[in-house]
Amino acid sequence: MLEIKNLHVDLEDEDKTILKGVDLTVEDGKVHAIMGPNGSGKSTLSYVLAGRDGYEVTEGSAKLDGVDILEMDPEERAAAGLFLAFQYPVEIPGVGNMTFLRTAVNAQRKAKGLEEMSATDFLKLVREKAATLKMDNDMLKRPVNVGFSGGEKKRNEILQMAILEPKMCILDETDSGLDVDAMKLVADGVNALRNEGRGFLVITHYQRLLDHIKPDVVHIMSNGRIVKTGGPELALEVEKNGYEDIKAEVA
Amino acid sequence: MALPQAKLDATEARLSSVTRPDGAAWSNAARDAALARVRAAGLPHRRDEYWKFTNPDTLVQADAPEAALFDSGETPLYDTIDRLKIVFVDGVFDAEASDDLSLEGVAIERLSDAASVDIHWAKDLYGVLEERGQSPVARPLAALNTALATDGVVIHVTGKVSKPINLVYHHKSTASDAILHHVIKLDPGAELTVLENGPAAARFNKVMEVEVADGAAFHHVRAQGRDHERRAATHIFARLGEESVFKTFTLTANGVLTRNECIVELTGDNAAAHIAGACVGDGDFHHDDTVFVTHDAVNCESRQVFKKVLRNGARGVFQGKILVKPGAQKTDGYQISQSLLLDGDSEFDAKPELEIYADDVACSHGSTSGAIDEEGLFYLRARGVPRDIATNLLTLAFLAEAVEEIENDVLRDEIVGRLEGWLERRRD
């Protein structure tokens, strides 16, 4: 369970407050969606939770299964079960995708006191998960995300999620840059991971992703706060009327 | 142009303490001529343009500064590879520790033996390629080597040699000052791989002259020993015939001062020269790659790929030149030198140069200095990879382009293994 309470965040280098008191709880087994206009703080929230440099938490807390994650290094958060699917997955020339995946799996296993996964077991696991995402051997061998299309990068994110089996998945605008087919493939990948023990926080600008990944709860974020919370129907309302109505309503 | 009096005096003072070795008439003549070249050029001085970034004082002075011995405790490099080992201890051939020198397709002799024979093929190469490499830039330390070297190997390659020749350089005396000179002649169509490893001496001056005849192929992988205080000035002079291949890779980890010069002349059409190096330095480390590639034939390819990882005040230098002579059309020249500075104390100086006198050529060069990619680092950490492991992974990735210049998988894995070890030891 992810519990965010009264989270205030400034940009470190500028005197600018981005999050102004976010309250949000994502229960195990649930899919929460955050929608909101550009600049509302959605992506900042995802980065702050994942532990990216450049942000200063001035107030509030974020706990994963009761443990405060904000003081942890990014790798500790990952080992604790947090996963961020990046809006812009990073290209890493010179590091093979398989090497990357294996290093990540074994690092997390080590952090949990488990032995490294054998090369055979690992290969089997990756092949199986990659097949469901229609990723071929070539994509696994190439350097991480280098030369990948937008859709391939997003599938690679979901592959990592499937292999690392996190407790809490944050998807930051996973639908951006995807055509309908690619979006369906990615959504199927996410849906296959839904289970009772795993929570999802899906950040998106548009309702269309939520046609494929059905949320239990929808939040609207505006100006650094959650301004409205409702069921799936809230996403449809946004799609129909835009954010202006909601902003006016809560103002 | 007359030399400044101070330089002249310093050179004469240094030469006053040396004795030209005595051998056959041809080798005496070659050594005398080399001494004359040293006198004409003067020994390097830190005000010389070519030594702008590297202070040559300790390479030039009469006595070698002492260098503590270092036992890495590691399995010797290339140990899993079937090879012919030729061992030198502090610059002296060690027959006991070396393998039997007979091998099909190749004739191997000690320089001291070859230089005493009245008629020897080495006459046409010893000091000859070195002399060709003295223009347009003088390389006095190489000429000094030709004048004074008594040991080394002369290798005549007549066929495709089945296994690599491994020159192993042990360092056992803290005050050793070693000079080795190797001459390698590949006949048309011949093929040879030469491996080198070890620190060699407290101070090491080495020259390797390589003649690669038409259709021949020479591969070279070198790892300079990890002894922290060792110093080295090395030169490779290579001349390439038609459709020949010359590929050299050097790994340098530690060493207080290293200057590696590689001078390659492409004289036959369709030849290819690849010169690569990866160096990793921590603390008191100065590493200089100075490369000069001359294209003097049609449709040749050359690549210079150098990567340096520097931390804790380590310093890297790259001086690389591509000279395309008139008529050397369809030249494909590539040069890249990059440094990864792991902290703010380290420094990289690069001087890339192109000089082109033909109009139908493709030459590119680039040089960069940068820190570790923070975006990549965060991405890896967000997947649970600890910062130190992620940094090492990105560092190896940075070095990959240079290391990939090693064609042979087994050799490449050996080198990568050493790099991983170096990074691993610095994780805390």
Side-chain angles (χ1 to χ4, degrees), chain A residues 104-135:
Chain A
V105 165
N106 284 329
Q108 293 206 13
R109 288 179 70 90
K110 194 176 170 197
K112 288 170 191 155
L114 298 171
E115 277 187 29
E116 287 199 354
M117 194 182 272
S118 80
T120 331
D121 288 350
F122 174 74
L123 203 62
K124 206 176 139 206
L125 175 72
V126 173
R127 290 233 167 101
E128 180 198 314
K129 304 287 186 192
T132 62
L133 287 160
K134 296 198 167 63
M135 290 175 67

Side-chain angles (χ1 to χ4, degrees), chain A residues 50-52 73-75 78 83-84 86 90 92-95 100 104 107-108 145 157 160, chain B residues 373-376 378-387 389 393-394 396-398 400 427:
Chain A
R52 186 182 172 133
D73 282 335
E75 55 267 34
F83 182 96
L84 169 65
F86 283 58
V90 181
I92 310 183
V95 177
F100 164 62
Q108 293 206 13
N145 293 326
E157 295 293 289
Q160 293 162 40
Chain B
D373 174 24
E374 288 294 331
E375 291 287 319
F378 175 61
Y379 191 64
L380 289 166
R381 295 177 75 194
R383 295 298 174 257
V385 182
R387 174 188 274 276
I389 297 179
L393 207 55
L394 293 174
L396 278 178
F398 165 79
R427 266 178 47 192

Side-chain angles (χ1 to χ4, degrees), chain A:
Chain A
M1 186 163 73
L2 176 69
E3 291 172 279
I4 303 167
K5 283 194 180 142
N6 193 31
L7 188 64
H8 288 68
V9 172
D10 288 358
L11 278 184
E12 238 166 38
D13 293 340
E14 299 166 50
D15 191 17
K16 195 174 172 191
T17 303
I18 308 289
L19 300 183
K20 301 169 181 170
V22 174
D23 287 290
L24 176 68
T25 299
V26 182
E27 308 84 1
D28 292 346
K30 300 290 184 195
V31 174
H32 285 230
I34 296 185
M35 300 180 73
N38 287 328
S40 58
K42 305 188 301 291
S43 286
T44 296
L45 178 63
S46 73
Y47 283 140
V48 168
L49 292 173
R52 186 182 172 133
D53 284 342
Y55 302 100
E56 190 191 349
V57 176
T58 53
E59 214 182 325
S61 67
K63 290 181 178 175
L64 184 62
D65 296 333
V67 182
D68 195 334
I69 57 169
L70 293 178
E71 288 301 310
M72 292 182 178
D73 282 335
E75 55 267 34
E76 292 170 334
R77 301 179 197 206
L82 188 84
F83 182 96
L84 169 65
F86 283 58
Q87 181 179 2
Y88 304 108
V90 181
E91 297 188 5
I92 310 183
V95 177
N97 214 7
M98 285 296 259
T99 306
F100 164 62
L101 291 168
R102 192 153 182 229
T103 307
V105 165
N106 284 329
Q108 293 206 13
R109 288 179 70 90
K110 194 176 170 197
K112 288 170 191 155
L114 298 171
E115 277 187 29
E116 287 199 354
M117 194 182 272
S118 80
T120 331
D121 288 350
F122 174 74
L123 203 62
K124 206 176 139 206
L125 175 72
V126 173
R127 290 233 167 101
E128 180 198 314
K129 304 287 186 192
T132 62
L133 287 160
K134 296 198 167 63
M135 290 175 67
D136 57 19
N137 257 340
D138 183 53
M139 276 176 72
L140 295 172
K141 275 196 220 147
R142 266 151 48 188
V144 180
N145 293 326
V146 176
F148 284 33
S149 70
E152 286 173 336
K153 283 181 182 171
K154 296 299 169 77
R155 275 188 275 160
N156 204 22
E157 295 293 289
I158 307 305
L159 175 69
Q160 293 162 40
M161 194 190 283
I163 288 168
L164 295 170
E165 299 187 321
K167 281 221 54 189
M168 178 69 218
C169 306
I170 303 168
L171 281 71
D172 185 12
E173 307 225 5
T174 295
D175 52 335
S176 69
L178 295 189
D179 61 27
V180 180
D181 291 335
M183 185 154 62
K184 187 155 186 324
L185 206 56
V186 164
D188 288 348
V190 172
N191 288 328
L193 289 169
R194 289 178 73 157
N195 67 30
E196 286 179 2
R198 185 172 291 139
F200 287 85
L201 186 60
V202 180
I203 295 169
T204 181
H205 204 67
Y206 302 104
Q207 189 269 337
R208 58 177 195 166
L209 179 66
L210 305 179
D211 285 342
H212 301 284
I213 304 173
K214 300 259 189 258
D216 298 295
V217 182
V218 174
H219 308 273
I220 307 298
M221 194 167 190
S222 175
N223 195 24
R225 280 189 200 94
I226 304 286
V227 294
K228 192 167 185 182
T229 296
E233 73 285 350
L234 188 54
L236 294 167
E237 191 188 320
V238 166
E239 186 72 5
K240 210 170 127 203
N241 304 326
Y243 293 110
E244 290 307 319
D245 283 6
I246 292 168
K247 277 158 85 177
E249 186 185 316
V250 298

